């Protein structure tokens, strides 16, 4: 049985001995026996105690642990070996306990000295407990209790501890003496001994060597270098002793302390690194506790290894450091976040540099606290610093702790913020400076890349300061601006060429020839060429413009929200509703007035004198006028008195009218100011939205002297002021009177007041209910251009501010109706306010009695649109032209405004139209009376207008476009009785025949939806809904079948006009037999034949202006009998009238503008194309504005003036004009023949006869004078006074000055230009004009092909040689002049740094003048650049070509960028304007009768 039991592992008792005793014997510390035992028995770091005291109390000494013995039982250790043998080691420490009272060794049972007692091999102590630590003594029950086995032990070996450290207040030699004595005693026991060199971590090398020497002298005495603190070789020491006790075990290798220390430190480092990583991975929140972490990691091997090796205390320290690191990282993150947000906060709260630039940081903090947004950005904590408060845990609170600003970092951020503002300000300034630099570089074109411009601005200070990103940003912004500006200018240019586009019908498609014509004309414009680099955008804008011209709608209007149609609709929708509501509140009075309150205004007693004169003519303040007695209450006021400034006199006196008397210019000026103030005051004080206007009468007082030189001036100025104020002017009657005022003056003035009161009462009375609202007497169309620089309300105010204004019919959003007294009866006037693009659709298709054409005097395109529209208007329709500007001062201060206003007045004079100017800064335009004279004229010509429209509509015989006016106006002429119905009528009633009250001059109402021909038949009409301004124009209607028009739908018409129509129908039926070749659309009566005058018909159908001819003879081209006169000719014979024409044939300006494009675009048309073919009368409807007048001269279509005999002036007027100038000669048509290349500038620029300009060059030179004198004078003047003028030959001079120079030279060849003191640019323009007027260009046409071919030569020297040979072929006269001019231009190019006119720029300006090519020839267009390069070569190489010099390289100045292209091309057709008129004279004189 015993054999089957496993052998128990052997147990060995080891006694650890060493120097012990009192402090005197061992020093103030032990040799490390207890630490060595502790580390061996309990190696875990947490079980290791560094302090083991030997000084005990008697009680502790007698406790069960010490048990009154001088040795300690440390317990047993299960010891294993590499060979697998195990054993138990029981550890005994022999020491000597000292009494803490006597500091002498305690008395024990063994009284032997330590050397003998420690060497004992048998120990005995009953119930002795295992020693753990000093704290165990007295508290044994709190610790693990193990008894020494059997109470006795047999010692098997000894570990002799020798302290090799320095210190402890003992000498090493004394220790060695004690060790030698102790060893002697232990050796007697024959037990193995191992020396443990303790505290080797603090060892003294000498001590260690001495021990090694000591051991070497002993037999089998092994020395192990140990350190209990770092657990170095402790286990090795006991293993070595075990091997000696059990020889069967392998001998362990003894490792020196340093080597073992390194191994241990590596192990510690590895374990520590693993543990720290484990902590970092496990702990993420600095709020985590050690308890939670240790519980979480207690089974983790890395954690256990570290705890065993380093202990819990170090592990907790490591954890605490990590927690602190996490906290600091969190605080740093929050701090960095605060500091990163602080610049943004400062930028929000302290963004004004001027406010903080001089402030310190503390002052800036105070300023921050005063901001309203302070609490939003900052938080003020009760406890500081912020990182030691719970604010660090408030993650969602992004506000910055204010105490953070007191740190150095906060102040630094503030200083950086200030510097940033300063640098940003500087950066912005430099960007703006760079922007201005770019604006000064005129050669930057839209779409030009930055890389092409960069080299020209690299030396700029701003360029160097800002970054490349800023440079590109600024340049991009500059490009956007110039591109946008160029596009706007391009669009404006297209508007300015309105005559070029508005010559086709709406909904038409431009042909290829038309597009070619458009491009040819526009190519002459610098604004067209400025978009050369953006050709696709330019083409898109052009196509968009063309698309809008031929398909206009308010939705696609190029002016966008500035479209007149949209604005008018909005204003009328708002204002007319207010008018309708306000009209019910008007106060109605009877027109029977017995008492009249009169206010008399005058200066220097004139008002009182007038009052005295009225009282002298009255009886008891009763005045008799026209058989009726009026009671007059007079209230004279001097304009200088304080009473006039009082606001109460008008409300208390309540005047019915005001007499304003003047006798001098000063008093007249005072009167004008006073009337304006009174009107404004009355308008403000009246609560009524529509107060009746106060009639003002302007009275001129007679002078005491029999003859007064100032009287004509006073009369003229008074009339002008009356026109301006829209009031009545009472002049002094003819004859001499001794008194200042005449009885007829007073009566006339009183009548004016009564008429004004009557007008006020009439307009305030309710509108007649018996009258159908659809009936109107006149239809007026007011046209304005979209985008004009004035408010649409300005042109609507004369109507909307009237009491008689009301809305038009439903569906007509752009229409209003005026109920106005004209003459002796009330008239209803329908006014439709449209844009020009909408008005074009109704110009031919709708019955319009008159046009009010508005244009802005600040905008050329506005005038161009007016011209294009007016050119195609029938000249029987009255026109009122209205120029809009800010004030009268603009006419005198702005030449452009003056020119446009003068042109408008000149056109109005030519076509006998009315012209007026409205000023946006004035209030007088808000009176409806501005247009009263025009309404009167329209009413007078109403019959002829309607007859002309009927003639034109029937002649065309085509379908109607959409109607702006759904119903025709009603005739209110009382002279004609209504035509009664007759049951005996067997024939179908004529068109527009009389039934009912309405006269259907436009049979396009919703009831019929058809148009009626002259035989009473109707055919369908294609129309679109009302109110839409995109008009569908006339299309040929079907001819047959002809449905009969029912009688009940026929309306009544003027019987005289009816008889005329019937007569025309009969004549048509007679003429039908001759019309075999007439088209189907001409199967109805020719309208001209319907206008034969019948019996008793005495009124002219067409109004005949004074300047019309006595008779017009035209041939009928509709039938084969060409010599048969048509019906209109018969009317012309009977009436002396004329056929309606268009206004473009009555105005030189309109005609020349229309034909100017034809000249430029069709100058290469042969005589075949411009001769008889154009004289054939076209059938059907022709193109709008593109038809040729059949009587114009076909040979020279560019000749100024109007050659149409149908519109020549009155014979009496001709006789008067004959005295001043010769009548124009009419050339006979020539036979067709081919012509040579035509000049670019036909000789039409001058308007005077000259024997010098425009003559061949050879006639102006002599052998002694090879250069024309005029050229010499111009060149001499330019080189003496203007050789450094910027833009020389590019900037156009004043044309008037140019003409004046040539006229003066015509009269006197010896004139001195310096004495004349003219502008250099004017002289340069006159010089260019000289060459433009030559019959043949300076460079002969026959040499142009050779020059072009030479320009194509690639080799530079060869090209110059060929050019030199060609220039030798010039005629001698041309050669000398060409040499002279090129030499001059070479001198100009040498000054290009100041003039910016390089040889390239000069050649651009001069080559068309010197060569005058035919731009209509496609070959010419393709060689434009070559021609320009030829002239450039002549200028650059002047010395080589003419003076035998060498070929020169272009100077640096030649590289100067070209100037801005806007002024490079001069205008080909100059605008001929009449002399400027005073703005007071623009409106035609009105009669002095009271205005209604």
């Amino acid at each position: 049985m015993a054999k089957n039991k496993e052998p128990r592992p052997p147990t060995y008792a080891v006694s650890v001995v060493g120097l012990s005793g009192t402090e005197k014997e061992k020093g103030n510390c032990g040799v490390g026996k207890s630490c060595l035992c502790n580390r061996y028995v309990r190696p875990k770091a947490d079980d290791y105690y560094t302090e083991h005291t030997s000084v005990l109390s008697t009680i502790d000494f007698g406790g069960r642990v010490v048990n009154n013995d001088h040795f300690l039982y440390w317990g047993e250790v299960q010891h294993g070996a590499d060979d697998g043998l195990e054993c138990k080691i029981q550890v005994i420490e022999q020491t000597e306990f000292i009494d803490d009272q006597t500091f002498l060794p305690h008395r024990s049972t063994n009284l032997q000295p330590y050397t003998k007692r420690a060497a004992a091999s048998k120990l005995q102590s009953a119930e002795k407990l295992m020693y753990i630590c000093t704290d165990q003594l007295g508290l044994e029950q709190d610790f693990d209790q193990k008894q020494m086995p059997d109470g006795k032990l047999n010692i098997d070996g000894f570990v002799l501890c020798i302290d090799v450290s320095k210190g402890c207040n003992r000498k090493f030699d004394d220790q060695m003496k004690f060790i030698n004595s102790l060893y002697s005693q232990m050796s007697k026991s024959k037990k193995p001994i191992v020396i443990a060199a303790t505290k080797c971590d603090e060892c003294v090398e000498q001590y260690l060597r001495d021990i090694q020497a000591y051991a070497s002298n002993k037999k089998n005495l092994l020395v192990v270098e140990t350190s209990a603190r770092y657990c170095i070789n402790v286990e090795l020491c006991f293993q070595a002793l075990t091997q000696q006790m059990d020889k069967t075990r392998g001998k362990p290798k003894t490792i020196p302390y340093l080597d073992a220390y390194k191994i241990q430190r590596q192990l510690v480092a590895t374990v520590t690194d693993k543990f720290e990583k484990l902590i970092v991975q496990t702990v993420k929140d600095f709020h985590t506790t050690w308890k939670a972490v240790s519980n979480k990691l207690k089974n983790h091997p890395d954690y256990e290894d570290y705890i065993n090796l380093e202990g819990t205390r170090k592990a907790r320290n490591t954890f605490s450091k990590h927690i602190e690191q996490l906290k600091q990282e969190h605080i740093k993150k929050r701090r960095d976040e605060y500091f990163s947000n602080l610049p943004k906060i400062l930028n929000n709260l302290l963004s004004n540099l001027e406010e903080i630039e001089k402030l310190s940081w503390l002052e800036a903090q105070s300023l921050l606290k005063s901001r309203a947004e302070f609490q939003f950005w900052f938080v003020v904590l009760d406890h500081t610093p912020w990182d030691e408060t719970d604010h660090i845990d408030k993650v969602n609170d992004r506000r910055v702790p204010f105490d953070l600003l007191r740190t150095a970092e906060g102040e630094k951020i503030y200083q950086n913020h200030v510097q940033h503002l300063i640098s940003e300000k500087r950066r912005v300034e430099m960007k703006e400076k760079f922007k201005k630099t770019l604006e000064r570089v005129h050669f930057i074109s839209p779409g030009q890349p930055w890389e092409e411009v960069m080299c020209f601005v690299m030396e700029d200070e701003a360029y160097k300061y800002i970054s490349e990103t800023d440079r590109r940003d600024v340049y991009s912004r500059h490009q956007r601006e110039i591109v946008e500006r160029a596009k706007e200018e391009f669009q404006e240019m297209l508007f300015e060429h309105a005559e070029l586009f508005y010559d086709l019908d709406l909904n038409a498609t431009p042909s290829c020839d038309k597009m070619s014509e458009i491009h040819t004309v526009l190519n002459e414009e610098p604004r067209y060429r400025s978009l050369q680099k953006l050709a696709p955008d330019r083409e898109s804008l052009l196509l968009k413009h063309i698309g809008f011209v031929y398909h206009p709608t308010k939705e696609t209007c190029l002016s966008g929200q500035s479209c007149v149609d949209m604005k008018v609709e909005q204003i009328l929708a708002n204002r007319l509703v207010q008018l309708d509501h306000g009209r019910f509140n008007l106060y109605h009075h009877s027109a029977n007035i017995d008492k009249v309150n009169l206010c008399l205004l005058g200066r220097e007693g004139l008002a009182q004198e007038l009052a005295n004169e009225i009282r002298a003519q009255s009886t008891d303040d009763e005045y008799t006028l026209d058989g009726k007695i009026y009671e007059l209450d007079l209230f004279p006021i001097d304009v200088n008195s304080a009473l006039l400034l009082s606001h109460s006199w008008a409300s208390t006196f309540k005047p019915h009218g005001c007499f304003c008397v003047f006798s001098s210019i000063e008093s007249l000026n005072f009167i004008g100011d006073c009337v304006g103030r009174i009107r404004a005051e009355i308008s403000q004080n009246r609560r009524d939205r529509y107060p009746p206007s106060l009639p003002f009468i302007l009275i001129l007082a007679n002078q005491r002297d029999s003859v007064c030189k100032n009287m004509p001036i006073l009369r003229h100025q008074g009339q002008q002021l009356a026109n301006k104020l829209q009031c009545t002017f009472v002049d002094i009657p003819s004859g001499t009177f001794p008194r200042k005022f005449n009885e007829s003056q007073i009566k006339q003035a009183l009548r004016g007041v009564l008429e004004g009161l009557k007008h006020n009462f009439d307009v305030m009375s309710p509108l007649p209910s018996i009258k159908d609202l659809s009936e109107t007497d006149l239809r007026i169309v007011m046209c304005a251009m979209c985008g004009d620089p004035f408010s649409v309300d300005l042109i609507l105010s004369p109507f909307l501010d009237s009491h008689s204004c009301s809305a038009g019919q439903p569906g007509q959003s752009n229409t209003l109706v005026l109920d106005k007294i004209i003459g002796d009866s009330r008239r209803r006037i329908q006014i439709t306010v449209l844009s020009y693009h909408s008005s074009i659709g109704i110009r031919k298709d709708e019955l319009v009695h008159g046009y009010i054409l508005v244009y802005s005097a600040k905008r050329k395109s506005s005038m161009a649109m007016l011209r294009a529209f007016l050119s195609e208007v029938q000249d029987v329709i009255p026109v009122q032209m209205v120029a809009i500007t800010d004030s009268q001062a603009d006419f005198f201060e702005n030449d452009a405004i003056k020119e446009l206003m003068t042109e408008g007045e000149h056109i109005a004079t030519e076509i006998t139209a009315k012209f007026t100017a409205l000023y946006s800064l004035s209030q007088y335009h808000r009176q409806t009376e501005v247009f009263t004279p025009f309404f009167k004229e329209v009413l007078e010509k109403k019959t002829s207008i309607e007859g002309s429209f009927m003639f034109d509509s029937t002649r065309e015989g085509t379908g109607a476009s959409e109607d702006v006016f759904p119903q025709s106006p009603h005739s209110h002429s009382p002279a004609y009785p209504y035509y009664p119905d007759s049951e005996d009528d067997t024939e179908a009633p004529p068109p527009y025949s009389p039934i009912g009250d309405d006269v259907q001059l436009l049979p396009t109402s919703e009831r019929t939806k058809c148009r009626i021909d002259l035989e009473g038949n109707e055919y369908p009409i294609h129309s679109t809904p009302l109110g839409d301004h995109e008009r569908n124009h006339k299309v040929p209607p079907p001819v047959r079948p002809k449905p009969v028009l029912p009688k009940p739908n026929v309306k009544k018409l003027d019987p005289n006009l009816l008889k005329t129509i019937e007569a025309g129908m009969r004549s048509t039926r007679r003429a039908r037999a001759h019309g075999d070749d007439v088209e189907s659309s001409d199967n109805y009566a020719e309208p001209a034949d319907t206008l034969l005058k019948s019996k008793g018909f005495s009124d002219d159908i067409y109004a005949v202006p004074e300047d019309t001819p006595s008779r017009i003879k035209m041939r009928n081209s509709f039938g084969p009998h060409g010599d048969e006169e048509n019906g209109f000719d018969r009317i012309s014979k009977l009436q002396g009238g004329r056929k309606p024409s268009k206004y473009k044939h009555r105005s030189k300006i309109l005609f020349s503008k229309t034909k100017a494009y034809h000249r430029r675009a069709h100058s290469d048309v042969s005589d075949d194309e411009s001769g008889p073919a154009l004289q054939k009368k076209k059938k059907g409807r022709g193109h709008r504005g593109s038809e040729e007048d059949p009587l114009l001269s076909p040979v020279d279509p560019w000749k100024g003036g109007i050659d149409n005999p149908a519109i020549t002036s009155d014979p009496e007027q001709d006789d008067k004009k004959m005295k001043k100038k010769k009548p124009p000669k009419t050339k006979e048509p020539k036979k067709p023949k081919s012509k040579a290349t035509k000049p670019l500038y036909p000789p039409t620029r001058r308007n005077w006869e000259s024997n010098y300009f425009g003559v061949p060059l050879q006639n102006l030179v002599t052998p002694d004078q090879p250069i024309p004198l005029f050229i010499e004078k111009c060149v001499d003047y330019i080189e003496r006074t203007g050789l450094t003028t910027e833009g020389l030959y590019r900037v156009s001079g004043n044309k008037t000055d140019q003409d004046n120079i040539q006229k003066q030279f015509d009269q006197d060849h010896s004139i001195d230009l310096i004495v004349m003191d003219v502008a250099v640019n004017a002289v340069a323009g006159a010089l260019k004009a000289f060459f433009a007027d030559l019959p043949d260009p300076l460079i002969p046409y026959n040499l142009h092909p050779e020059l072009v071919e030479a320009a194509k030569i690639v080799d530079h020297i060869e090209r110059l040689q060929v050019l030199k040979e060609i220039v030798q072929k010039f005629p001698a006269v041309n050669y000398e002049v060409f040499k002279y001019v090129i030499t001059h231009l070479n001198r100009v190019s040498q000054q290009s740094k100041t003039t910016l006119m390089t040889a390239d720029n000069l050649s651009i300006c001069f080559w068309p003048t010197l060569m005058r090519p035919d731009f209509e020839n496609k070959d010419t267009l393709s060689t434009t650049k070559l021609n320009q390069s030829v002239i450039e070569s002549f200028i650059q190489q002047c010395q080589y070509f003419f003076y035998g010099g060498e070929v020169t390289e272009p100077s640096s100045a030649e590289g100067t960028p070209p100037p801005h292209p806007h002024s490079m091309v001069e205008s080909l057709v100059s605008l001929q304007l009449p002399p400027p008129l005073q703005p007071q004279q623009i409106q035609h004189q009105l009669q002095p009768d009271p205005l209604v």
Side-chain angles (χ1 to χ4, degrees), residues 817-1038:
V817 176
L818 289 179
D819 191 74
K820 192 170 182 61
I821 297 177
I822 300 180
D824 297 330
S825 59
R826 185 191 302 275
R827 304 290 181 178
R828 287 179 57 75
I829 305 172
Q830 175 180 306
I831 298 176
T832 302
V833 186
L834 299 173
S835 62
Y836 278 107
H837 61 76
S838 294
S839 303
I840 289 176
I842 66 167
R843 185 171 53 194
K844 276 190 166 184
D845 308 329
E846 307 294 345
L847 173 58
V848 179
H849 294 99
Y851 287 102
I852 301 176
L853 304 184
V854 182
Y855 74 96
S856 171
K858 295 181 178 180
R859 192 180 181 195
K860 288 184 178 180
S861 59
S862 185
M863 169 56 77
M865 184 63 75
L866 183 148
R867 290 196 307 262
F869 181 84
L870 181 59
S871 296
E872 300 300 317
V873 174
Q874 295 291 332
D875 61 0
V876 298
I877 302 178
V879 172
Q880 167 82 60
M881 296 175 59
V882 180
I884 306 291
T885 184
D886 290 337
S887 64
Q888 295 181 2
D890 293 342
F891 183 85
F892 303 99
E893 297 173 359
N894 191 309
D895 291 339
I897 293 178
K898 179 179 180 180
E899 181 177 345
L900 288 179
M901 291 186 70
T902 306
E903 180 181 357
E905 197 279 337
H906 192 30
I907 293 175
T909 302
E910 288 181 329
I911 67 174
T912 322
K914 295 188 181 300
F915 182 90
T916 188
L918 296 185
Y919 305 106
S920 58
L921 302 181
S922 171
Q923 297 296 321
Y924 303 130
H925 66 271
R926 298 188 179 276
Q927 302 177 13
T928 316
E929 285 72 13
V930 171
F931 299 112
T932 299
F934 172 67
F935 294 153
K936 289 182 178 179
E937 178 188 359
V938 174
L939 189 62
E940 293 170 357
K941 298 182 178 180
K942 175 182 176 182
T943 305
S944 60
I945 296 169
E946 293 175 353
S948 173
F949 173 77
M950 187 171 57
F951 170 86
D952 183 65
S953 300
T954 314
R955 175 176 57 83
E956 292 177 355
T958 57
S961 69
E962 182 207 337
D963 300 327
V964 171
F965 311 117
Q967 295 183 357
S968 294
H970 176 70
S971 176
H972 291 280
S973 303
Y976 305 132
Y978 288 127
Y979 190 76
D981 292 338
S982 174
E983 297 179 358
D984 299 331
D985 289 339
T986 57
E987 296 181 351
Y992 323 112
S993 62
I995 289 181
D997 294 334
D998 290 341
V999 177
Q1000 194 72 7
L1001 289 180
L1002 262 178
T1004 59
S1005 68
E1006 295 181 0
R1007 296 190 297 268
T1008 59
K1009 293 294 181 183
C1010 61
R1011 187 177 292 278
I1012 310 168
D1013 63 17
L1014 286 178
E1015 292 186 0
N1017 300 317
E1018 61 180 25
Y1019 52 84
I1021 302 170
H1022 303 280
S1023 62
T1024 55
L1026 297 177
D1028 187 356
H1029 297 144
E1030 184 177 4
R1031 325 228 172 262
N1032 299 322
H1033 282 261
K1034 302 177 180 179
V1035 295

Side-chain angles (χ1 to χ4, degrees), residues 698 717-729 1491:
L698 201 59
Q717 295 292 337
Q719 182 64 62
Q720 284 187 342
L721 181 60
N723 293 341
K724 186 189 303 180
L725 299 180
Q726 295 297 300
C727 64
T728 302
F729 173 66
L1491 296 175

Side-chain angles (χ1 to χ4, degrees), residues 275-290 292-294 296-297 318-320 322-324 326 329:
F275 176 73
E276 289 178 350
K277 289 181 178 180
L278 180 64
I279 291 295
V280 170
Q281 295 173 359
T282 305
V283 182
K284 302 294 184 180
D285 184 5
F286 67 90
H287 296 95
T288 308
T289 62
W290 168 249
V293 173
S294 60
K296 184 177 181 180
L297 300 179
T318 301
F319 167 78
S320 298
H322 177 66
I323 291 296
E324 184 64 23
L326 288 178
E329 288 178 355

Side-chain angles (χ1 to χ4, degrees), residues 259-417:
D259 295 341
Y261 176 78
K262 290 180 180 179
I263 295 173
Q264 182 68 15
R265 285 297 92 194
Q266 291 177 357
L267 176 62
V268 170
T270 302
V271 172
T272 301
D273 183 61
K274 291 182 178 181
F275 176 73
E276 289 178 350
K277 289 181 178 180
L278 180 64
I279 291 295
V280 170
Q281 295 173 359
T282 305
V283 182
K284 302 294 184 180
D285 184 5
F286 67 90
H287 296 95
T288 308
T289 62
W290 168 249
K291 183 178 180 180
V293 173
S294 60
N295 289 335
K296 184 177 181 180
L297 300 179
K298 61 183 179 180
N299 294 323
H300 198 283
D302 293 339
Y303 173 79
E304 295 293 339
D305 291 344
Y306 186 81
I307 292 296
N308 293 336
L309 196 60
E310 291 292 305
T312 303
R313 184 178 59 83
K314 283 191 175 182
R316 188 163 187 170
N317 289 341
T318 301
F319 167 78
S320 298
K321 289 179 180 179
H322 177 66
I323 291 296
E324 184 64 23
Q325 182 179 358
L326 288 178
K327 182 178 180 180
Q328 293 303 321
E329 288 178 355
H330 174 74
I331 293 174
K332 183 178 182 301
K333 181 180 178 182
R334 294 294 298 273
R335 180 188 290 108
D336 293 344
E337 182 180 344
Y338 293 146
F339 283 142
S340 64
N341 290 337
L342 191 57
K344 180 178 68 174
I345 297 173
L346 295 179
N347 198 44
N348 285 330
L349 301 182
L350 303 177
S351 58
N352 189 352
L353 177 62
E354 298 178 356
E355 187 179 20
I356 65 173
E357 188 173 9
K358 305 298 181 181
L359 295 183
S360 65
W361 179 218
L362 291 177
E363 293 171 335
Q365 292 181 41
S366 301
L367 183 60
L368 282 174
K369 288 184 176 180
S370 65
R371 300 299 193 196
E373 304 89 350
F374 175 78
Q375 295 296 335
F376 177 78
W377 296 105
F378 294 99
V379 57
V380 180
L381 302 175
D382 296 333
H383 304 284
T384 56
W386 70 277
D387 53 0
E388 296 180 8
T389 66
D390 59 352
H391 184 73
I392 64 173
D393 298 328
K394 298 178 180 179
V395 181
N396 295 327
D397 190 352
R398 298 293 182 179
R399 294 179 299 171
V400 177
F402 193 71
D403 62 292
L404 195 65
L405 301 185
R406 301 188 182 97
T407 61
E409 292 90 341
E411 183 175 5
K412 184 178 180 181
I413 289 176
Y414 168 73
Q415 298 297 339
N416 292 339
H417 171 67

